[in-house]
Amino acid sequence: MLGVGVSPGIAIGKAWVVKEENLSITQQSTRTPTEEIERLNDSLVSVRRQLEQIKERAVRELGDKAQILDAQILVTQDEELLGVVREHINAGKTAEAALESGVEFYAKILEGMDNEYMRERAADLRDVGGRIIRHLLGAKQQDLSNLTEDYIIVAEDLTPSDTAGMNKTHVLGFVTDIGGRTSHTAIMARSLEIPAIVGTKEGTSRIKSGDLLILDVAEGEIIIQPDSAQVAMYEKQRTRIEAEKQRLQKLITEPSLSLDGHKVELAANIGTPKDCTGALNNGAEGIGLFRTEFLYLNRDRLPTEEEQFEAYKSVLATMAPRPVVIRTLDVGGDKEISYLNLPKESNPFLGYRAIRVCLRQTDIFRTQLRALLRASTFGNLKIMFPMISSLDEVRQTKRILEEVRAELKQEGASVSSEIEVGIMIEIPAAAMISDVLAQEVDFFSIGTNDLIQYTTAVDRMNEGIAHLYTPFHPAVLRLIQTVIENGHKSGIWVGMCGEAAGDPALIPLFLGMGLDEFSMSAISVLPARELISRLNREELKKKVPEILQAGTAQEVKEKMGALGY
Amino acid sequence: MLERQYTITNNQGLHARPASLLVQMASQSKSSVTLIKEGKEYNAKSVLGIMSVGAQKGDVISIRIDGPDEAETDTKIQALFKTNFGE
């Protein structure tokens, strides 16, 4: 079976399939109501205990965000709900049928509310209900937090809440039916350095729990129930990859220099303060993109200034004196935050997202900027604004930043005077006027994930057109070249923080174009450093015009391949 | 019996977290605790009861406490609202 390999390596192990099974529920009981109530009470106690354990782990890993579990625990002892359930039992129903009716009764009420947040709580309620019903029926609890052996996790897709409580020490790999290089599963797998293949379409239908699997990420291949010869071959390959990793380890403290002595910066993209460890262990020279969305996701209200301050301070202090580029809130698009009650849009990637939200809901933005500026004295902070499409946005954004700075100064707070302010170039409009924008900012960071989707009009979440989504499209590469040139003309540095920055097939081209900073998944840093040490920057620079003359993505690949790196 | 009016000031209304806190508080009480909105009564010892009120920011509700420790419960619940459920 084939998919898209998104986090490198080879995994060999047993499958754990996360699947919503259809539970068959008998309606009329053959037991007495007293017996049914006893069954119910037993299950309620056990499930409450399970939830408390999950909560303990979640509190350790997520802190404040675990609070949603409190409400779930309360549901297991809810007077009103259990009152309704007991009535159904007394009318002759089984405990599971009675519970299902009771849960549905309240879930429907929550769903009927004109408040997105409350509607989502209906899913939480059904989740607890399902947990109790599975316990009543003796069905296995599909809970990633309680893995006690090593498994390869197979699922339709994994959400941030699935992976938050997951016991990562027992996860050997991931296989999902849907998703691409930039889906949550892919990004998380890379940051955990766990092999993953996504977008297999039929993973959960073809793989059964307990099947032996081999994931060959380089080939995007999943072998189900391999024979012993295959296992032996892949074991050998895995050992070789490990040895290669060891060899690269030696480059951790080396600078990133090309063969002809040109220095670039290789930085890591991170999503939480904890990811700094991975960045440092992989020799990153800085953080080129700290996505701040984690502070806002999986919770029921906005993060306070203090919470944000602590997170920014922690990253800045851990990485100091290395540079840390922190991107302000990039919500909207595929990243929904229920408590902001943003209206559903038919075209969210072209809608109310990122800087557009921040410039309208300025209270949210100001809180984040206050936290960032206050944290600035703890390290080398650079602030970056996402989804810039016009000069007006840059000016407005900078004005707000200055207002916040003045406000803090008045309060007597200390703020670093050396904070660089930059923008993401991920919209073709911004790339086209990058000469103008360069005069207003201290740096550019090219966000290739969105730049590709906006330039080629290819939805990066749409499986059906995934083959059209490619960083090799000459239009994308010409825009990148334009941005780098315009940045350098104004004397500012230009980085890249999309997936393409870590792609060994493209690094030679970007180096030739003069890219100053490459920010990528931590695991890509050392291989990139090794590659760059073999490249001659001046020679590559001469090849760039010819490569950009290519008419198709395929021609670009061929021309790049002909360079022989 | 004690009854007191409150205005909801939480941004998301009585959502899961404040509802949980109120229920935890009410459940510790030996008295009956009832939330009243627009004449309808809801059991304040039930998280689903409270959440199904659908109380939004700006809504006015009453809380009625009736039983042996009503004064003590009333003080605790007042404190909860006064601190805006810690938000």
Side-chain angles (χ1 to χ4, degrees):
Chain A
M1 190 168 55
L2 289 175
V4 186
V6 291
S7 179
I10 284 179
I12 304 171
K14 275 192 292 181
W16 175 290
V17 184
V18 182
K19 208 191 265 186
E20 291 300 320
E21 71 242 90
N22 281 320
L23 297 168
S24 75
I25 294 177
T26 313
Q27 292 293 321
Q28 294 304 322
S29 173
T30 51
R31 302 185 185 87
T32 66
T34 321
E35 287 168 341
E36 287 292 355
I37 286 176
E38 219 163 276
R39 286 182 64 221
L40 175 70
N41 289 343
D42 284 349
S43 288
L44 290 173
V45 170
S46 304
V47 167
R48 200 174 305 143
R49 207 171 298 138
Q50 283 174 9
L51 289 171
E52 269 156 10
Q53 277 170 6
I54 294 177
K55 187 191 151 192
E56 255 172 58
R57 182 174 295 125
V59 167
R60 277 201 304 275
E61 291 182 1
L62 294 172
D64 204 31
K65 287 175 237 166
Q67 279 170 343
I68 203 75
L69 287 159
D70 275 330
Q72 289 201 330
I73 291 168
L74 283 175
V75 166
T76 65
Q77 48 203 22
D78 195 273
E79 287 186 7
E80 294 293 307
L81 171 69
L82 298 180
V84 176
V85 173
R86 283 193 202 98
E87 267 172 42
H88 284 300
I89 290 179
N90 286 327
K93 283 198 172 187
T94 59
E96 52 273 20
L99 191 83
E100 193 186 34
S101 310
V103 163
E104 275 309 305
F105 174 77
Y106 279 102
K108 291 255 157 61
I109 294 180
L110 294 176
E111 261 173 0
M113 291 186 180
D114 77 0
N115 175 325
E116 163 103 35
Y117 170 82
M118 284 301 199
R119 285 199 296 272
E120 281 179 14
R121 301 287 74 75
D124 293 340
L125 174 57
R126 289 200 176 98
D127 184 38
V128 192
R131 203 175 263 280
I132 303 167
I133 291 169
R134 280 195 295 277
H135 192 273
L136 279 163
L137 295 175
K140 219 179 185 173
Q141 208 52 251
Q142 304 256 357
D143 193 343
L144 295 178
S145 61
N146 290 327
L147 297 177
T148 49
E149 277 177 70
D150 292 353
Y151 285 105
I152 293 172
I153 306 299
V154 182
E156 189 193 1
D157 193 16
L158 292 164
T159 64
S161 55
D162 286 332
T163 54
M166 188 173 66
N167 187 346
K168 288 153 193 126
T169 51
H170 286 302
V171 178
L172 298 172
F174 296 106
V175 175
T176 64
D177 293 355
I178 59 175
R181 281 197 68 79
T182 52
S183 63
H184 168 74
T185 309
I187 291 169
M188 180 218 37
R190 276 193 297 275
S191 82
L192 295 173
E193 305 185 22
I194 294 175
I197 298 180
V198 302
T200 61
K201 294 196 179 69
E202 43 182 12
T204 55
S205 52
R206 288 191 45 196
I207 300 168
K208 288 188 298 295
S209 280
D211 280 356
L212 186 63
L213 301 181
I214 293 177
L215 310 192
D216 179 354
V217 176
E219 299 297 323
E221 193 183 2
I222 299 148
I223 306 171
I224 306 171
Q225 301 287 45
D227 57 41
S228 55
Q230 283 172 312
V231 174
M233 189 184 92
Y234 278 99
E235 284 285 4
K236 207 184 271 174
Q237 211 170 322
R238 191 170 59 179
T239 318
R240 216 196 52 225
I241 291 175
E242 276 305 313
E244 170 73 14
K245 231 180 177 173
Q246 296 295 326
R247 200 172 63 80
L248 287 174
Q249 288 296 312
K250 298 196 186 95
L251 295 174
I252 280 189
T253 50
E254 297 291 313
S256 308
L257 287 176
S258 69
L259 193 60
D260 52 337
H262 179 79
K263 180 156 180 13
V264 294
E265 183 191 325
L266 295 183
N269 297 339
I270 63 168
T272 70
K274 278 196 253 170
D275 298 340
C276 288
T277 321
L280 290 170
N281 289 343
N282 283 285
E285 291 160 292
I287 300 298
L289 170 64
F290 174 18
R291 303 181 188 88
T292 52
E293 289 75 57
F294 87 99
L295 284 160
Y296 297 82
L297 296 168
N298 282 332
R299 52 186 293 145
D300 56 20
R301 66 208 154 112
L302 285 165
T304 62
E305 182 184 322
E306 261 342 278
E307 280 174 74
Q308 298 194 49
F309 168 73
E310 288 301 330
Y312 305 148
K313 175 181 145 185
S314 145
V315 171
L316 286 163
T318 311
M319 297 305 296
R322 300 173 189 81
V324 174
V325 179
I326 303 186
R327 181 178 72 185
T328 59
L329 181 61
D330 184 4
V331 64
D334 59 338
K335 283 165 285 192
E336 264 186 72
I337 295 182
S338 58
Y339 55 83
L340 291 181
N341 284 327
L342 300 179
K344 281 260 177 284
E345 297 181 358
S346 57
N347 222 335
F349 276 108
L350 301 183
Y352 187 52
R353 61 172 288 206
I355 202 71
R356 298 168 180 179
V357 176
C358 290
L359 288 176
R360 193 179 316 159
Q361 285 165 268
T362 49
D363 47 335
I364 298 176
F365 194 37
R366 281 172 190 272
T367 305
Q368 181 167 37
L369 293 176
R370 280 182 63 94
L372 282 168
L373 292 183
R374 281 177 51 209
S376 65
T377 52
F378 292 90
N380 182 355
L381 170 68
K382 299 174 195 300
I383 301 178
M384 175 162 76
F385 303 113
M387 276 292 282
I388 294 290
S389 64
S390 71
L391 183 59
D392 291 331
E393 284 165 342
V394 176
R395 288 182 174 154
Q396 271 187 61
T397 310
K398 281 173 63 185
R399 193 165 56 234
I400 295 177
L401 180 67
E402 283 323 304
E403 284 168 14
V404 173
R405 187 196 289 270
E407 185 182 289
L408 282 168
K409 211 172 241 174
Q410 211 159 34
E411 292 170 23
S414 61
V415 174
S416 162
S417 56
E418 283 157 15
I419 306 167
E420 287 189 4
V421 175
I423 55 175
M424 280 196 67
I425 303 285
E426 50 193 330
I427 298 177
M432 293 308 294
I433 57 163
S434 49
D435 52 338
V436 181
L437 298 177
Q439 293 166 27
E440 298 272 337
V441 297
D442 302 315
F443 67 91
F444 286 153
S445 185
I446 304 170
T448 49
N449 298 356
D450 274 334
L451 185 64
I452 297 166
Q453 108 164 330
Y454 292 137
T455 305
T456 58
V458 175
D459 179 349
R460 61 184 162 103
M461 311 299 277
N462 187 330
E463 308 289 323
I465 51 173
H467 61 290
L468 297 175
Y469 182 91
T470 169
F472 289 92
H473 195 298
V476 175
L477 297 175
R478 287 187 193 191
L479 280 177
I480 292 172
Q481 160 81 347
T482 304
V483 173
I484 298 174
E485 269 181 13
N486 283 336
H488 287 174
K489 265 185 221 152
S490 286
I492 66 171
W493 63 270
V494 182
M496 181 184 289
C497 59
E499 292 303 326
D503 188 339
L506 283 164
I507 287 174
L509 180 61
F510 297 147
L511 184 74
M513 287 178 177
L515 193 69
D516 302 293
E517 178 235 37
F518 299 66
S519 192
M520 56 194 75
S521 304
I523 41 171
S524 303
V525 169
L526 290 173
R529 184 167 296 153
E530 194 274 336
L531 172 62
I532 286 171
S533 73
R534 291 186 280 120
L535 301 176
N536 186 316
R537 154 102 216 279
E538 284 309 311
E539 269 177 28
L540 285 166
K541 192 175 171 183
K542 289 180 208 142
K543 309 270 190 203
V544 172
E546 198 222 318
I547 292 167
L548 291 183
Q549 283 309 307
T552 66
Q554 189 52 39
E555 274 178 52
V556 173
K557 280 187 193 168
E558 283 162 13
K559 284 175 191 283
M560 291 299 298
L563 297 176
Y565 294 114
Chain B
M1 191 183 78
L2 289 166
E3 192 168 323
R4 196 177 296 280
Q5 268 196 354
Y6 296 99
T7 304
I8 307 291
T9 50
N10 297 64
N11 276 331
Q12 282 294 323
L14 278 183
H15 60 86
R17 205 187 63 91
S20 302
L21 288 172
L22 180 58
V23 170
Q24 280 163 1
M25 197 69 77
S27 300
Q28 286 166 16
S29 169
K30 294 185 196 77
S31 312
S32 74
V33 185
T34 311
L35 190 153
I36 305 154
K37 186 178 163 239
E38 287 157 9
K40 274 202 196 155
E41 300 191 356
Y42 304 84
N43 183 350
K45 296 188 179 183
S46 156
V47 74
L48 292 173
I50 303 272
M51 283 170 70
S52 57
V53 176
Q56 307 266 12
K57 185 175 181 176
D59 284 351
V60 177
I61 56 144
S62 312
I63 298 224
R64 187 168 65 217
I65 309 162
D66 190 4
D69 56 351
E70 55 191 32
E72 192 191 327
T73 309
D74 180 51
T75 316
K76 284 185 186 162
I77 290 177
Q78 274 191 65
L80 207 52
F81 276 93
K82 205 169 278 167
T83 57
N84 203 16
F85 294 88
E87 288 192 4

